[in-house]
Amino acid sequence: MIFPLEELTKYKGSIYEITVAASHRAFQLAKLKDSILEENDGKEVSVAARQLFTNEIHYRIEQKSHQ
């Protein structure tokens, strides 16, 4: 699995947001040692990006309150 560049070029949302979401998801996959990584040569970022671009997983931005 390579990084899904075709999906990236078609993406209409915030590139910053999806990049941060992919980074967080890649960290989760690596930490959990998800079996999907074995099928994809251990490419956490590529797997995470594909999951986001295909809506296999979703993300949301949480607003932190300033106290």
Side-chain angles (χ1 to χ4, degrees):
M1 169 82 194
I2 59 171
F3 194 82
L5 291 176
E6 185 175 329
E7 287 86 356
L8 181 60
T9 60
K10 294 177 184 176
Y11 186 69
K12 301 296 183 203
S14 169
I15 295 299
Y16 175 77
E17 286 178 10
I18 198 124
T19 301
V20 171
S23 175
H24 283 272
R25 179 61 180 158
F27 178 77
Q28 289 174 337
L29 291 168
K31 197 76 167 163
L32 295 172
K33 298 181 179 161
D34 195 302
S35 62
I36 194 168
L37 296 178
E38 292 176 20
E39 301 166 16
N40 291 281
D41 299 322
K43 297 180 180 178
E44 296 96 347
V45 175
S46 294
V47 171
R50 181 186 48 76
Q51 289 178 335
L52 287 162
F53 287 123
T54 61
N55 293 317
E56 186 176 331
I57 63 165
H58 301 276
Y59 71 95
R60 68 173 183 266
I61 299 171
E62 294 182 2
Q63 301 295 326
K64 293 184 179 183
S65 62
H66 299 281
Q67 296 181 353

